[in-house]
Amino acid sequence: MYQNSTEIFQMMPFIIIGAGILLSIAVEMSIKKSELILPWFSILIFAVSAVISIAGIQQESVLFGGMIAAGGKAAIFNFIFNVGAALVVLNSVDYIKKYGTYYGEYYILVQSSVLGMMMMSGAKDIIMIFMGLELMSICFYVLAGINRKKFSANEASMKYFLLGAFATGFVIYGIALIYGTSATTKIDDIISGFNRLITNPLFVAGFIFLLIGFSFKIAAFPFHMWVPDVYQGSATTVTGLMSTTGKTAAFSVFIIILAAIFSTHSINKFTPYFAAIASLSMLYGSIVAISQDNVKRMLAYSSIAHAGYMAIGLAAGNISSESGIIFYLAAYTFMNIGAFGIVSIIEGENDTQLGISSYAGLGNRNPVLAAFMALFMFALAGIPPLAGFFGKYYVFIGAIEGGLTWLAVIGVISSVISVYFYLRVVVYMYFREPQEEIKIYSDNLSLSAVVVSGLLVIIFGLFPDTLLNLITSALIR
Amino acid sequence: MEQNHLLTYLLLTPIAGSLLILFLKEENPKLIRWLGFLISIAAFIISLFVYFGFDASAADFQFQDKILWIKSLNVSYFVGVDGISLLLILLTTFLTPLTLLSSWKAIEKKVKMFTFMMLFLETGMIGVFMSLDMFLFYIFWEAMLIPMYFIIGIWGGEQRIYASVKFFIYTMFGSLLMLVAIIWLAVYASGPLGSFTTNLLDLYKVGPSVPREIQSWMFFAFLLSFAIKVPIFPLHTWLPDAHVQAPTAGSVILAGVLLKMGTYGILRFCLPLFPQSAVYYAPFISMLAIVGIIYGALVAMVQPDMKKLVAYSSVAHLGFVVLGIFAMTEEAVQGAVIQMINHGLSTGALFLLVGVIYERTHSREIAYYGGIAKLIPVYCAVLMITSLSSIGLPGLNGFIGEFLILLGSFKSSVLNSWWFTVFAASGVIFAAVYLLWMYQRVVFGTVKNPELQNKLTDMTARELIVIVPILIFIVWIGIYPSTFLDMTRLSTEKILRSVGSFTLSLVK
């Protein structure tokens, strides 16, 4: 069936991760010391899959009977998922040791969730989106509660599951309506008939249901209620994974289903919807984050705000904003994984040392950690020349080209607000003396994950072309 | 045009040096201090090469260096200098080694980080003055916030956290709106120019054709950012906090260079990019400038704290600069440029001098002192010259700037009213009042405070090495300003030509 060797090559990431999951299960069942093998094996398959994805970026091919696309922008998304997950795994080794709660399924679940994300970002069929979404989400529900003896983790898992199921309901209902009006689940067919279908109110309703379902997943206001509790309650490394790659996967779906608007210049009927959630998310996230003393919770609200910035790109709906969103997602993934990596290093057992006061005097006690945390905070705040700034810059270009200057203005206002709480961490680290004795555990692996993220944030900042050229070459063909 | 990398070397010297310093051991502060000082001297020497290679008879940007940086956005690393920016770069490279030298005793904790931050800051400041790409300009403009934030926050006074955060957020608010305006302009330029560009020289051609109403918005987005930095009344409230809390070196750089970025930005961007709006709103902004002159002077008068007094005097002095720019006559703009340099020298020196006695007594209260003329005569003589220069005594630098500004604003057809000059001139008198009164209370009379006898010692050789070069320039500009005026003449003429046609249309 697949005579073409490039197609087999393109399929490799899926095969590697899929086979990796099965192999990992076998290892976990048969080998006692699996915790020494599985993390490295996971990193290996993620790395190979990331490299193959990027290598195949130039050719776009449709696999599995028109169900999944590989190459092109899917390749960039796969790269983000795999590198992000590899960093999270690297970070998890020490974290799990610290908590003394090793469960074999942890790494397997991370691998499975990545497979789900890859299915979403490459989907050519709405059913495929749904399958990917469920694979990813169910892994996340379990991962959120992986510290099963901890009450807050159980709460987080339950909350996430219930609200996630609610969101899934929206997605399913939306898919049903779309199928009912377009008589197809193939995304290409829907896109080609988009201008005709969009006049049908039922189709629009279905589409909006779909958008609402995924707005839950990107943690946009007003669908954000689960975010602070889940991010705070879950293991920090898991939060790092959910808040970055999970968000990226959900955004990739937006980009896929709005392809008609992004690349064929159909009228963006959904601008008001996205403009509303964008402006509300930005302002709500930034304002509420100011009053948070728990760093994880603060980053949760910041994640809501960042979903807002990226949603500006969806509201604008042009090619600049599309590449802007993808760049932003990559930048955000590495900034946030780095920040959560540091939080996981500082964090003590049983949810201690998560408050911002635990960071007081870090600049003296551990200059390297403090310097990287400051780097991530400045990057998240959007100070040039770091990656976070360019993400915002590109999205704003898209907004202004799309005639949404007012949205960009709201964006910068909320950026200014957000500077306050990002700086607050820096203030504690450098300008204040420590109040309590803080014990920091041995953390070489976590630190290396942080350093890699930090370097990526700097490289994407100083040489944004490295990434942007990949994105534009994937988008314009 | 031939490529010349001199400016790039100038830009890279401090940042490369600061990275070098990161590898030194904290235990050896002496080595770090010396190395930091030598690196900043090296930067100064390179800037002198630029100065001697500069052709004052050409109005174009010289020493241009251009490397494509972000191809997909058409952003280049594009630098070049004209007379105005060169003069400000010289001011920066001149003041930085002096401030580093001045802080050898004052900064005792985290010397390595301090030197690193100062050199990092120097690169940022030089970059702001030489960028010819809006995007590049913006990056330096923002990146420079980080070191200043740390300098105030780590080595500052009691209220340093409040002051540093206020400084950061205030500045960032203005600059982010400018960012939106930059992007808007670049997107707009893709129409007439055929591609998205942030190249300043290209945008100069496009700016005046932006529809009037939108141009006003653009103008104010840019102006807000610069006005906060200057600061123009009523956006000045961050300044006293930042100045008072910053360590001496921070205050000197803040007053000497950072505030100039605002006025430089107005001159470089607001006027040539949006000439119609600049001409239209000139009387309004000049009015704010006048309010700033008088308000700053009156508030300075009643300050019990010497550093705060000097800080408020900055508001007044920068008001003169803004008035000069928006008068839009050749004399006034030339005066404004020279006044930027003057303020950098005089106020920088005043902050240094306040720092000198603060190091000894740990007090900046005017009431704490009195009669120190007998105890430390050399110091008092230096303080006298500096205060007189700040007041604008003929023969010293301040006079030249203020005189040109007043003369130019009197003749200005844009402002078209001599009331501006009258009110501004009253500011000169107020300046004499608050500075001489401060001088009298601190220096003359009998020594009431017994502590002073033991604590005060006269200026050391190191402190004199810091202050004497500044005094030389204070006198030099006062006696023979042509050295500096000739440098900037053609550059100011060029800026005025770009607004000139719109000035005439308004008068008719």
Side-chain angles (χ1 to χ4, degrees):
Chain A
M1 192 169 160
Y2 297 105
Q3 287 88 7
N4 195 333
S5 66
T6 50
E7 282 190 10
I8 292 171
F9 181 75
Q10 300 274 37
M11 230 188 277
M12 285 312 281
F14 294 95
I15 294 172
I16 289 169
I17 302 284
I21 295 169
L22 297 177
L23 206 62
S24 300
I25 294 175
V27 167
E28 165 60 21
M29 283 193 301
S30 51
I31 298 177
K32 270 258 162 65
K33 285 270 174 194
S34 63
E35 61 179 300
L36 298 177
I37 302 169
L38 281 185
W40 301 107
F41 179 67
S42 310
I43 291 173
L44 178 75
I45 59 171
F46 287 143
V48 173
S49 153
V51 169
I52 294 179
S53 297
I54 280 296
I57 193 168
Q58 294 305 338
Q59 293 102 5
E60 204 165 355
S61 43
V62 179
L63 311 170
F64 300 114
M67 291 301 263
I68 283 189
K73 56 190 175 224
I76 295 173
F77 283 121
N78 287 352
F79 176 77
I80 299 175
F81 300 145
N82 283 297
V83 177
L87 290 172
V88 168
V89 168
L90 193 58
N91 190 14
S92 302
V93 180
D94 285 330
Y95 187 80
I96 287 173
K97 224 180 268 167
K98 177 156 69 185
Y99 264 91
T101 49
Y102 172 72
Y103 301 107
E105 58 268 37
Y106 178 81
Y107 296 110
I108 299 165
L109 284 167
V110 172
Q111 293 167 5
S112 315
S113 70
V114 170
L115 186 64
M117 295 171 203
M118 286 163 66
M119 283 159 69
M120 283 162 86
S121 74
K124 280 277 164 196
D125 192 298
I126 297 189
I127 299 300
M128 203 67 205
I129 294 182
F130 183 71
M131 279 166 58
L133 173 70
E134 284 307 285
L135 182 53
M136 177 189 86
S137 301
I138 289 169
C139 292
F140 278 172
Y141 303 147
V142 183
L143 279 172
I146 194 87
N147 284 348
R148 58 182 80 137
K149 292 190 182 111
K150 215 171 77 177
F151 181 75
S152 61
N154 282 308
E155 184 195 335
S157 176
M158 202 62 201
K159 247 181 199 159
Y160 195 15
F161 171 66
L162 287 176
L163 282 164
F166 186 54
T168 305
F170 275 96
V171 173
I172 281 289
Y173 198 40
I175 290 177
L177 283 175
I178 290 173
Y179 179 68
T181 46
S182 65
T184 176
T185 56
K186 291 232 171 296
I187 290 172
D188 285 340
D189 294 346
I190 295 172
I191 288 170
S192 58
F194 193 78
N195 286 333
R196 176 177 48 80
L197 288 166
I198 200 76
T199 53
N200 184 340
L202 269 181
F203 177 80
V204 175
F207 221 85
I208 285 184
F209 277 126
L210 200 60
L211 298 183
I212 289 177
F214 281 97
S215 300
F216 270 96
K217 296 291 169 189
I218 62 167
F221 186 90
F223 311 107
H224 64 280
M225 295 80 77
W226 57 277
V227 177
D229 289 338
V230 172
Y231 280 19
Q232 190 186 352
S234 310
T236 307
T237 48
V238 175
T239 311
L241 187 72
M242 290 191 301
S243 67
T244 56
T245 52
K247 197 188 282 269
T248 309
F251 264 103
S252 73
V253 172
F254 276 128
I255 289 176
I256 291 169
I257 59 177
L258 293 174
I261 292 163
F262 278 122
S263 32
T264 60
H265 310 292
S266 302
I267 299 155
N268 191 351
K269 262 205 171 177
F270 306 103
T271 297
Y273 173 80
F274 285 119
I277 65 165
S279 44
L280 291 172
S281 305
M282 289 186 292
L283 291 173
Y284 176 83
S286 304
I287 293 170
V288 179
I290 288 177
S291 61
Q292 304 305 322
D293 279 331
N294 182 307
V295 178
K296 259 165 106 176
R297 221 175 159 80
M298 187 269 276
L299 285 172
Y301 282 104
S302 118
S303 147
I304 296 173
H306 281 283
Y309 297 117
M310 293 183 243
I312 292 181
L314 297 176
N318 49 36
I319 203 94
S320 308
S321 67
E322 185 181 6
S323 52
I325 295 172
I326 299 177
F327 187 94
Y328 203 132
L329 285 166
Y332 176 74
T333 298
F334 298 118
M335 301 188 284
N336 230 24
I337 284 182
F340 275 114
I342 290 176
V343 173
S344 78
I345 292 173
I346 306 281
E347 183 181 344
E349 284 165 79
N350 299 324
D351 281 349
T352 50
Q353 301 178 15
L354 280 170
I356 194 166
S357 57
S358 300
Y359 290 75
L362 195 66
N364 286 332
R365 284 186 282 123
N366 196 331
V368 177
L369 270 192
F372 273 103
M373 191 64 173
L375 176 82
F376 295 126
M377 289 298 121
F378 284 127
L380 283 166
I383 309 282
L386 298 168
F389 166 72
F390 287 95
K392 279 187 184 146
Y393 186 74
Y394 297 138
V395 170
F396 290 162
I397 290 177
I400 289 171
E401 279 179 356
L404 291 169
T405 310
W406 64 274
L407 208 50
V409 171
I410 293 186
V412 300
I413 289 172
S414 85
S415 292
V416 175
I417 301 171
S418 69
V419 165
Y420 179 79
F421 60 83
Y422 292 125
L423 278 190
R424 209 162 148 240
V425 178
V426 181
V427 163
Y428 269 88
M429 288 193 303
Y430 285 97
F431 305 166
R432 281 187 201 270
E433 297 307 317
Q435 315 264 315
E436 50 192 303
E437 198 52 46
I438 302 290
K439 185 167 179 259
I440 296 176
Y441 295 79
S442 98
D443 44 31
N444 286 329
L445 291 179
S446 296
L447 189 64
S448 54
V450 166
V451 171
V452 172
S453 321
L455 289 179
L456 285 171
V457 168
I458 295 174
I459 290 171
F460 290 161
L462 287 179
F463 308 104
D465 255 0
T466 47
L467 184 60
L468 205 63
N469 282 346
L470 279 182
I471 296 172
T472 33
S473 72
L475 290 182
I476 301 163
R477 51 183 67 251
Chain B
M1 192 172 293
E2 65 167 317
Q3 293 267 320
N4 188 322
H5 299 308
L6 202 54
L7 288 179
T8 308
Y9 299 141
L10 176 59
L11 189 68
L12 289 180
T13 305
I15 191 89
S18 70
L19 293 177
L20 185 71
I21 280 176
L22 278 188
F23 291 103
L24 294 181
K25 282 225 157 43
E26 181 79 71
E27 287 79 50
N28 196 349
K30 204 171 170 188
L31 177 67
I32 295 172
R33 284 177 177 140
W34 268 105
L35 191 64
F37 179 64
L38 290 177
I39 290 163
S40 59
I41 287 284
F44 180 58
I45 292 171
I46 299 177
S47 68
L48 284 182
F49 277 110
V50 180
Y51 171 71
F52 288 117
F54 183 78
D55 176 12
S57 62
D60 281 330
F61 288 96
Q62 300 175 30
F63 295 98
Q64 288 189 13
D65 196 356
K66 191 172 181 182
I67 300 161
L68 193 60
W69 175 30
I70 308 173
K71 192 160 168 260
S72 40
L73 289 175
N74 200 10
V75 170
S76 304
Y77 163 80
F78 183 25
V79 294
V81 288
D82 67 353
I84 301 169
S85 39
L86 177 57
L87 207 52
L88 288 163
I89 287 172
L90 285 169
L91 179 71
T92 311
T93 53
F94 173 71
L95 282 178
T96 308
L98 298 181
T99 50
L100 277 170
L101 191 58
S102 79
S103 56
W104 277 13
K105 220 178 131 220
I107 304 294
E108 280 180 334
K109 63 168 185 179
K110 298 190 190 167
V111 176
K112 181 163 99 172
M113 195 169 170
F114 179 78
T115 316
F116 170 78
M117 288 295 171
M118 286 296 280
L119 292 173
F120 182 9
L121 184 62
E122 187 180 10
T123 291
M125 296 184 294
I126 296 174
V128 163
F129 291 130
M130 64 169 69
S131 300
L132 290 181
D133 188 292
M134 297 290 312
F135 187 83
L136 192 66
F137 170 82
Y138 182 80
I139 287 192
F140 283 122
W141 177 269
E142 287 278 277
M144 186 206 69
L145 279 179
I146 297 174
M148 200 64 214
Y149 165 75
F150 279 109
I151 287 173
I152 300 175
I154 296 182
W155 296 277
E158 299 263 295
Q159 297 281 315
R160 58 184 200 278
I161 295 176
Y162 171 75
S164 59
V165 173
K166 189 171 178 182
F167 164 76
F168 200 106
I169 291 182
Y170 234 102
T171 320
M172 183 121 183
F173 174 70
S175 46
L176 275 167
L177 285 178
M178 176 169 76
L179 178 68
V180 176
I182 292 175
I183 299 175
W184 197 96
L185 200 60
V187 170
Y188 176 82
S190 51
L193 295 175
S195 66
F196 182 93
T197 181
T198 45
N199 183 326
L200 185 61
L201 303 185
D202 290 339
L203 291 180
Y204 275 159
K205 297 171 207 147
V206 177
S209 66
V210 175
R212 260 316 298 281
E213 196 190 332
I214 298 169
Q215 202 195 51
S216 297
W217 284 105
M218 304 270 107
F219 174 75
F220 276 110
F222 273 79
L223 186 74
L224 182 69
S225 165
F226 299 137
I228 287 173
K229 201 75 154 200
V230 172
I232 296 177
F233 179 88
L235 301 167
H236 63 278
T237 55
W238 64 269
L239 178 121
D241 289 313
H243 266 313
V244 173
Q245 299 305 329
T248 302
S251 305
V252 174
I253 291 293
L254 199 56
V257 185
L258 256 65
L259 305 189
K260 307 303 159 340
M261 290 179 180
T263 44
Y264 171 79
I266 294 175
L267 208 49
R268 172 74 69 235
F269 302 107
C270 282
L271 257 55
L273 280 176
F274 316 112
Q276 296 98 323
S277 306
V279 170
Y280 185 77
Y281 293 107
F284 167 68
I285 297 156
S286 303
M287 216 153 68
L288 290 180
I290 303 262
V291 173
I293 293 173
I294 296 172
Y295 170 86
L298 290 178
V299 178
M301 218 178 279
V302 295
Q303 292 305 321
D305 181 311
M306 288 164 83
K307 212 169 178 186
K308 225 168 186 166
L309 185 145
V310 182
Y312 275 106
S313 83
S314 291
V315 179
H317 280 117
L318 267 300
F320 273 103
V321 179
V322 175
L323 175 68
I325 292 173
F326 280 97
M328 296 185 199
T329 56
E330 203 190 324
E331 291 89 350
V333 176
Q334 283 268 54
V337 174
I338 212 79
Q339 186 69 1
M340 289 191 219
I341 305 298
N342 291 340
H343 177 262
L345 296 173
S346 317
T347 309
L350 281 175
F351 275 123
L352 283 171
L353 289 169
V354 174
V356 165
I357 50 171
Y358 179 76
E359 273 174 42
R360 290 165 171 71
T361 63
H362 294 282
S363 170
R364 293 183 302 245
E365 293 282 306
I366 296 175
Y368 179 89
Y369 298 95
I372 62 172
K374 297 187 193 76
L375 302 174
I376 42 173
V378 179
Y379 174 85
C380 295
V382 174
L383 185 63
M384 186 81 232
I385 301 174
T386 321
S387 305
L388 289 176
S389 122
S390 186
I391 292 167
L393 185 82
L396 296 178
N397 60 351
F399 174 73
I400 306 292
E402 284 173 4
F403 180 73
L404 283 172
I405 291 169
L406 292 177
L407 184 73
S409 62
F410 193 76
K411 295 202 301 191
S412 166
S413 57
V414 176
L415 299 180
N416 204 16
S417 160
W418 46 271
W419 281 108
F420 289 102
T421 317
V422 171
F423 281 112
S426 73
V428 184
I429 303 165
F430 285 132
V433 174
Y434 61 79
L435 275 170
L436 289 180
W437 193 33
M438 187 251 324
Y439 190 79
Q440 182 204 345
R441 283 179 291 167
V442 170
V443 173
F444 297 133
T446 50
V447 185
K448 288 181 212 117
N449 195 336
E451 278 180 34
L452 292 176
Q453 299 273 14
N454 334 324
K455 282 189 181 166
L456 277 185
T457 49
D458 216 331
M459 295 180 80
T460 61
R462 177 178 59 84
E463 284 161 349
L464 281 173
I465 293 174
V466 172
I467 208 85
V468 166
I470 301 182
L471 293 184
I472 292 175
F473 277 100
I474 284 179
V475 177
W476 185 346
I477 299 178
I479 293 172
Y480 193 71
S482 305
T483 326
F484 307 94
L485 290 175
D486 287 346
M487 256 171 84
T488 57
R489 175 161 299 124
L490 289 172
S491 313
T492 45
E493 266 174 20
K494 192 178 166 205
I495 290 172
L496 285 175
R497 257 203 313 282
S498 64
V499 288
S501 47
F502 304 102
T503 325
L504 288 176
S505 65
L506 196 80
V507 173
K508 279 170 198 160

